[in-house]
Structure formats: C-alpha cells, structure tokens
Amino acid sequence: MELTELLKPLAGTPQTTTALVVLLLPLLAFFVLFFAGKRLPRRGDWLAIGISTIAFALSVYLFTQTWNTATFHARTTWFSLPSTVVSDFTAGILLDNLTVLMLVIVTFISTLVQLFSVGYMQGDTGYHRYFAYLGLFTFSMLGIVLVDNLLLLFMFWELVGFSSYLLIGFWYHKPAAVAANKKAFLVNRVGDIGLLLGLFAFYTYFRTFDLEALRSLISAGDWLNSSFIVNYSLHGEPWLLELSPLLLTLAGLGLFMGCVGKSAQFPLQIWLPDAMQGPTPVSSLIHAATMVAAGVYLLARCYAFFTPDALTVIAIVGAITALAGALAALRQYDIKAVLAFSTISQLGYMVMGMGTGAYDASLFHLTTHAFFKAALFLNAGIIIHAMHRGLHHAHLDHMDAQDIRNMGGLRKTMPFTFYSYLLAAAALAGIPLTSGFLSKDAILSVSWAWAQTMSANCNLLYFIVPATGFAVVVLTAYYMTRHMWFMFFGSFRAPFDVQQIRHSLKLETERVMLVPVVLLAVLSLGIFFSLNPLSFSSSWVVEGISLKNLSLNMLAGNLVQAVTMQDDANHLPHILIGIFSALLAAAGIIVALIQYNRKTSEQLLLEQPATTFQRLTYNHFYLDSFFRTGFVKPAHWTATTLYRVDKWVIDFILNYSSKWLVVISKIVGWFDRLVVDGLVLLVGAISKLFGMLGRNLQNGKVQSYYAYSLFGFILIMLYIMLF
C-alpha cells in the first residue's frame, strides 16, 4: 500500500464547498462584531443570529445530502518537506453521517443560544464582544467537526480552549470569573499534552495525520504473535511496522487524555463546575453540544485507533466519572452547579459507552443530551434572570440569585419555565418516552453485553461498569427531583413578593428567551429520535452511525464485533434493562419526594450538608483541595523557592561579584598606571637624562673638551694621592 496514493488530493464538491462556507461564517461574524460591533445597530446581535441561522440552514442542507446517502471528501496538499521519509501534509474536509449530525447540532444549539442571549445579555457593556466570542467559539467547534486530519483537529481543539477561556472569563471584572477561566485553560492543557503526544506517536508510526489514511493503514494491518504488523510504502520505499500492543495502547490513551481534559473526565473534571462563572447561555453552549462534547467526538473519530486494553481503561474512567458527578450533584445548592455536575456524570456515561463498544449509543446520548441539557441551562438562565430582577426591586442585591434554597413555588409564577424544565429534567433522569431514556438504555444494554463478553473467563469484576451505570440512574433521578422540588414546589422562600420576578403581569420572561427553551424541551421527547419511543434499536440516529459494518477495521475490531453479537442476542435482557432502569429512576424520584415533602420552608431555607458523606459530595470529594495540596502548592513552592534562589543567591552573587570586579579592576588600573606605567616612564626618563648628559659632553666646543680633560686629570691625581 502506497501512502502517497492514500494522501493524493481530492477534488472538492458543492457539498464540501458549502461545508467550508458553514465553517467560515461564524469567523466572519467574529471579526465584524469584534472590530465594528459598537457601531452597528443593536450592536450587531441581529448579524450574529442571522449568520448562525444561515449556517444552520446550510447544515440541514448538508444533512439531507449526506445522511445515509454519500460521503464527501475534499483534500489538498497543505505543504511538503523535501524528505523521502515524510509524507505530504494535507488539509481537507470530510462529510459523513457523524459530521453532518454534529454540524446540525452545533449550529442549531448555537443559534438558539444566541437568540436567548438577546434577552439575557441585554444592557451588558460587552454586548457586541459577547456575540463576537460566541462566533469564534462556534467556528472553533465546527473546525473540529469538519477537518479530516489530527493536526488540524488539534489546532481547532486549542482554539476551542482559547475561546472558552474568553467566554468563561467574559465578566473579567469578577475575580471568580478570572480564576475560573485560568483554571479551565490550564487544566485542559494537561489533557492536551497527552493528546499531542498521542497524535505524534501515530504520526511517528504511520507518517501521516490524515484520519482516512490512518484508518486504511490500520485496516491493512494484522495481529501476529501479539504484535500488530503493517506493511506500506512511502515514496517507493517499503516500510514494515511491528508495533507492540503496549505502544498502541499508550498512543491511544494519549488521544484519550485530550478527552479527559476537554470532556471533564476523572480526575480532570475539576474545571467544569467553576466554568459556571461565565454567562448562563455560555454554560448552555459549552455543556450542550460544543466544548465538552468535543472529547466524545474525538473518541468517535479515532475509535479505530484504540486497542481493547485502551477501551477498557476508557470504560472504567467513564464509569468513575459518571458516578462521581452524580454523587457530587446530590448536595449542591447552586442551580448551575447541579447541572454542571450532571453534565460531568452524563459525559461519563458517553465515555463509558465508548469504552464498552457502545459507539453508536454514546453518540446517540450525545445527541439527546445536547437538547435537554441546553433546555435545562437556558431555563436556569431564565430563573436566575428573574431572581436578579426580584432581588433588585427588593434592594437585596447581597442575596445569591442562584441559590435554590432562596427559591420555591415557582411553578405557579413561571409555568412555562416549570413545564419545559420538567420535560428536560425527565429526559435527564431517563424517564420513559423521553430521549434520555432511549440513549441511556442503549448505553446500559451494550455495557451489559460488554461485561458478559469480558467476563467469559469468569471474571465478574467487569459487571461493576454496567452496575455503576444503573446506580447513576437512581442518583440522577434523585438529585433532579430534589433540584426541582427546591425551585418549583413549596412556598417562595426569598423575603420579597414572588410576583416581582416576572417580566410583566402577562409574561413570566421575555419571549425571545422563552421560545428557545420551549423548543428544546419539546425536542427532549423520544418520538423525535425513534418511532418507538420505548426502544432505542429503531432510532434513526443509531442506525445512521452504527459501527457494525466497520468493526473489523479497528485495532479492537474483534472485541467490538463480539460485544455487538452478544448485544444482538440479548433480546430479553434489553427488555429487562429498560424496565429496570425505569424502575430505578422511579425509585430515585420517590425517595426524593418522600424526603423533601416532609421538610418545611424553614428547613429547606437553612439546609446545609450535615453528615460526613454529604460534606464530601458537596465539596466534590475535595478534589480541588487534593490538587491544590498535591500539585498546585508544591509547584507554587518550587517556583517561589527557585525565584528566591535566583534573586537572593544567583542575583546576589552576580551583582556583588560584578561590584568586586569593578573594585579589583580599579586596583589593577591604579597599579598599572602607577607601577607598570611608572617604571616604564622612569626607564624612559633615565634614558633621556643620560642621553642629555651625553649630548652635553659632545657639544663640539674645544673649551669644553679642555675643561673635561682638566677635570679628569684632577680626578686621576686625587685618586693617586689618596690611594
């Protein structure tokens, strides 16, 4: 197999050209709004929404042209190096089912978030800058979705991190927001180091970053004597690769590290709760379908590159994250913190599904989660907006507008918000007839089949992974019921009239904010994803992104094929798992209702984490303290110590040695002038003196010569007389 043939340029098509337009439209919005937004009518919000709407419409067109119909791929040579051991660096756009699905989700959610932001961000001093940042963020995410090679993907990956840094710290006058965006940026860089090492490892082995070429090379390889053997040629030179499973596993886990950082997996999930310092619509965009979903999308794009051992690690990390996020959400009182930890938990579900072979189920859950989580965050934004309005009218600006203990009874005052929140929360909890029930059921079913396959040697420990998934179902239903009870049931607990939170007597909030949440809440119903809202197997999403025809073209192809066969044979377990998960969700709801129905308004208002376990979950298992104590403080101490050594030792030595050098140089200069130069001058003066004497003796006068002779004669006579 000739690698240069795999990387030859591919002519563009109208579809790939349209995809390029979709990619560049948000970037155009960013530049126009950032540099000229202040001078535009309404500071350019109409331009941002209009461009996003056009991008969404074009994405729908691409979806109709591509979904289960064709794959479009355009590639060009980016640059070349004069070397026989390096292939051409290419750049291209790849349109397949996964790409167009993500295109529609990203542009749709982005459009609704920007529409919602017109009401939420009205009057903010950075209004045009906010929409500019949203454009940059959308451009970055679309780049990740569309590009066809790992190097370009990494560039857009870092651009997503940068744009999220701008959005999380949008209110940069708040110290908490500045600390949060720095934390998010730095923690993500930890994961990105692994991603960079992983993609360069694959380049070292296969001499290309192109995803399609990499998949072709891996498909051409084979396992032989516990080694992966690949034969290919580059510029006519034959290459024979013999790679150990350990090397391939480590390279795959390097790619997974990027997902651990971006998709907030254990133990790097600490940045996501703090990211709530940004505006609530930003939280919706980050949590629903863009930044945090990028890690799961990366796993999907690189799924062929993971060995069975790497997938096992991915499954375990996902299960731990799902459980940790759900437990941390149990005792949160900030309305956005509950949803943030819920996102961590749901991302853990997706990653767990990827690790257990539930590729299509994980992407299905990513799709459904995008709609109901966006609805939840935007609804939370409506409630926060309303609470700020009420607190402002009551001159109680010191109270926390996001603390659910200050709420209560909002279902009567804000009925549209209540019912849309209820529908989205039901989807999150996995209640039957909702989209969340379908996608969670799919992940749990395949995870059970994975455990059956992996435990063929009687190692039942693998069943811990699906058991964790079932436990998370109970916890999710419990904390969402508790969450809803605090906000919408009982009596209003803030010290002002609840009617003051309404926008007007007729409207509970601005229509521009209400329309997106109602639309997203309706899309949380299962009927939009499967004609049978109680069975995931007939979902059009699952059918469109299935790996059944590609499972052999993977490093873990045999494992994925075995899991798929086991899952297809589990007819009765599918039914039982669906019933069991529904019963578990119902149990979680009932327990929460019984527990909180007994509490008075005063008890709800004053509730605090009481037990050790409650304090543990409330503080997110003290992971922040652990990292601060184990890594941040030692690094800070090391940096401080090195700074002090540099300042007080190295700089002291350099500064004072230079001063002594000046003193010594002055002494040496004095010695040189007075001694060395003095001796030289003395020799010259003596020579001059003798020269003058000799010159005076030889003056050419006879009288002088007679006098000198007489004087000499007298001296001789004196010498004779005396001696």
Side-chain angles (χ1 to χ4, degrees):
M1 180 182 298
E2 177 61 43
L3 183 57
T4 53
E5 286 296 316
L6 293 175
L7 297 175
K8 64 181 179 180
L10 300 173
T13 63
Q15 289 79 10
T16 54
T17 303
T18 304
L20 185 61
V21 172
V22 172
L23 173 63
L24 295 178
L25 279 173
L27 185 62
L28 173 64
F30 165 72
F31 281 115
V32 173
L33 290 170
F34 188 80
F35 292 106
K38 283 186 177 181
R39 294 184 290 274
L40 293 174
R42 292 180 54 86
R43 290 196 282 176
D45 57 359
W46 55 272
L47 178 65
I49 297 171
I51 287 178
S52 186
T53 303
I54 294 171
F56 171 63
L58 293 176
S59 298
V60 172
Y61 163 75
L62 292 174
F63 185 89
T64 60
Q65 294 291 304
T66 306
W67 188 259
N68 291 337
T69 302
T71 297
F72 302 99
H73 190 190
R75 183 197 290 130
T76 186
T77 299
W78 185 10
F79 63 91
S80 302
L81 296 177
S83 174
T84 59
V85 296
V86 176
S87 62
D88 292 340
F89 289 83
T90 62
I93 289 177
L94 175 64
L95 290 175
D96 57 11
N97 281 2
L98 177 57
T99 301
V100 294
L101 177 64
M102 290 298 297
L103 275 181
V104 171
I105 293 173
V106 171
T107 54
F108 180 65
I109 300 296
S110 178
T111 302
L112 292 184
V113 166
Q114 293 185 58
L115 183 64
F116 181 91
S117 299
V118 172
Y120 191 88
M121 298 297 293
Q122 188 176 17
D124 194 282
T125 55
Y127 192 72
H128 72 285
R129 180 167 53 88
Y130 170 82
F131 282 97
Y133 289 168
L134 287 182
L136 180 63
F137 190 93
T138 305
F139 164 74
S140 307
M141 186 63 201
L142 291 176
I144 290 177
V145 170
L146 287 169
V147 295
D148 68 342
N149 73 77
L150 287 172
L151 184 60
L152 281 175
L153 187 147
F154 181 78
M155 293 178 180
F156 281 105
W157 186 274
E158 293 303 304
L159 196 55
V160 165
F162 172 68
S163 52
S164 66
Y165 170 85
L166 296 175
L167 286 169
I168 294 169
F170 177 75
W171 287 318
Y172 53 83
H173 58 275
K174 297 168 55 179
V178 174
N181 71 351
K182 287 192 295 185
K183 184 177 183 180
F185 189 82
L186 293 174
V187 172
N188 272 274
R189 297 294 76 71
V190 175
D192 292 351
I193 291 173
L195 173 59
L196 192 62
L197 293 175
L199 65 90
F200 274 114
F202 277 103
Y203 180 81
T204 301
Y205 301 151
F206 300 103
R207 304 293 172 176
T208 181
F209 291 110
D210 189 89
L211 287 166
E212 292 297 296
L214 284 170
R215 276 192 281 267
S216 298
L217 291 173
I218 287 175
S219 298
D222 196 11
W223 291 100
L224 183 64
N225 297 327
S226 299
S227 296
F228 189 72
I229 308 297
V230 181
N231 281 290
Y232 68 93
S233 59
L234 177 60
H235 300 302
E237 296 290 331
W239 288 81
L240 174 62
L241 289 179
E242 183 175 353
L243 304 174
S244 70
L246 179 60
L247 282 176
L248 289 170
T249 299
L250 291 176
L253 291 179
L255 298 179
F256 175 59
M257 276 297 295
C259 173
V260 170
K262 197 74 74 184
S263 290
Q265 296 299 290
F266 180 85
L268 298 182
Q269 76 267 37
I270 55 173
W271 69 269
L272 193 55
D274 295 271
M276 298 302 98
Q277 292 296 330
T280 304
V282 169
S283 302
S284 177
L285 190 60
I286 289 176
H287 286 250
T290 51
M291 180 175 177
V292 295
V296 180
Y297 178 81
L298 174 68
L299 294 183
R301 272 291 174 223
C302 301
Y303 204 63
F305 312 151
F306 297 112
T307 64
D309 290 337
L311 289 180
T312 301
V313 174
I314 292 171
I316 294 171
V317 171
I320 293 172
T321 305
L323 182 61
L327 289 173
L330 292 177
R331 285 291 162 181
Q332 301 301 318
Y333 298 103
D334 187 293
I335 182 173
K336 290 168 69 175
V338 176
L339 300 180
F341 284 112
S342 168
T343 298
I344 293 173
S345 182
Q346 299 308 304
L347 289 169
Y349 254 118
M350 300 174 205
V351 172
M352 182 184 78
M354 284 289 179
T356 57
Y359 170 91
D360 45 7
S362 293
L363 291 173
F364 183 27
H365 194 53
L366 185 153
T367 304
T368 60
H369 179 264
F371 296 107
F372 63 71
K373 185 52 64 72
L376 287 170
F377 265 108
L378 293 183
N379 270 302
I382 290 176
I383 295 172
I384 294 169
H385 199 62
M387 288 295 294
H388 273 296
R389 184 186 299 117
L391 291 172
H392 178 71
H393 287 317
H395 304 289
L396 296 171
D397 296 328
H398 63 281
M399 289 188 65
D400 188 357
Q402 298 183 193
D403 195 328
I404 59 176
R405 290 171 293 190
N406 296 328
M407 303 175 191
L410 299 183
R411 73 184 188 280
K412 297 178 181 178
T413 310
M414 309 179 73
F416 282 104
T417 303
F418 167 68
Y419 287 113
S420 56
Y421 210 112
L422 179 64
L423 192 55
L428 176 59
I431 303 302
L433 301 182
T434 64
S435 60
F437 171 78
L438 291 173
S439 52
K440 277 189 179 181
D441 192 29
I443 292 176
L444 291 172
S445 297
V446 180
S447 298
W448 187 264
W450 173 82
Q452 289 176 298
T453 304
M454 298 294 288
S455 62
N457 57 356
C458 298
N459 188 353
L460 300 180
L461 291 176
Y462 290 102
F463 281 97
I464 294 177
V465 171
T468 302
F470 285 114
V472 173
V473 172
V474 182
L475 296 173
T476 304
Y478 174 87
Y479 68 68
M480 285 309 297
T481 304
R482 169 186 177 271
H483 186 59
M484 294 284 294
W485 187 272
F486 264 98
M487 294 187 297
F488 295 106
F489 294 90
S491 59
F492 190 64
R493 293 179 290 277
F496 60 86
D497 184 7
V498 68
Q499 294 299 322
Q500 292 182 350
I501 70 174
R502 291 178 62 88
H503 179 65
S504 65
L505 292 176
K506 294 182 179 180
L507 289 176
E508 61 185 81
T509 190
E510 295 88 335
R511 289 188 179 90
V512 74
M513 295 169 64
L514 200 59
V515 171
V517 298
V518 172
L519 180 59
L520 288 167
V522 171
L523 290 174
S524 299
L525 292 171
I527 193 66
F528 294 101
F529 300 93
S530 174
L531 294 178
N532 182 356
L534 295 175
S535 174
F536 66 86
S537 57
S538 59
S539 169
W540 59 270
V541 177
V542 173
E543 292 177 356
I545 54 179
S546 176
L547 268 182
K548 290 183 178 180
N549 298 327
L550 302 174
S551 58
L552 292 177
N553 301 328
M554 302 160 49
L555 291 177
N558 293 334
L559 172 63
V560 174
Q561 187 181 37
V563 172
T564 302
M565 293 176 61
Q566 180 64 54
D567 184 56
D568 291 339
N570 285 347
H571 300 293
L572 180 60
H574 279 182
I575 299 173
L576 295 178
I577 287 171
I579 295 173
F580 187 52
S581 64
L583 292 175
L584 288 175
I589 293 171
I590 292 170
V591 171
L593 289 176
I594 292 173
Q595 180 178 355
Y596 284 93
N597 188 41
R598 297 173 180 174
K599 295 191 175 185
T600 64
S601 294
E602 291 75 15
Q603 289 175 319
L604 292 175
L605 182 62
L606 300 175
E607 182 176 293
Q608 295 287 344
T611 65
T612 301
F613 180 73
Q614 290 177 357
R615 287 191 293 271
L616 189 67
T617 56
Y618 175 75
N619 291 289
H620 196 193
F621 307 100
Y622 295 99
L623 281 175
D624 278 305
S625 300
F626 170 74
F627 281 110
R628 191 179 302 111
T629 304
F631 295 95
V632 177
K633 286 186 177 179
H636 186 266
W637 179 86
T638 303
T640 303
T641 302
L642 292 175
Y643 168 75
R644 289 173 178 171
V645 169
D646 178 66
K647 182 176 181 180
W648 300 111
V649 179
I650 299 176
D651 286 356
F652 179 85
I653 293 174
L654 291 176
N655 291 336
Y656 280 90
S657 61
S658 62
K659 291 179 181 179
W660 281 108
L661 186 62
V662 171
V663 173
I664 294 172
S665 65
K666 289 183 179 296
I667 294 174
V668 171
W670 173 82
F671 181 81
D672 179 67
R673 290 191 303 273
L674 297 182
V675 178
V676 178
D677 290 352
L679 290 175
V680 172
L681 293 175
L682 179 62
V683 171
I686 294 173
S687 300
K688 183 178 181 181
L689 177 62
F690 281 106
M692 291 176 63
L693 291 175
R695 186 178 60 189
N696 291 330
L697 291 176
Q698 299 292 330
N699 55 12
K701 296 179 179 180
V702 176
Q703 303 94 300
S704 298
Y705 296 155
Y706 278 119
Y708 298 151
S709 300
L710 178 60
F711 181 71
F713 177 75
I714 293 171
L715 289 177
I716 292 171
M717 292 301 293
L718 288 174
Y719 178 78
I720 294 172
M721 291 172 61
L722 294 175
F723 300 99

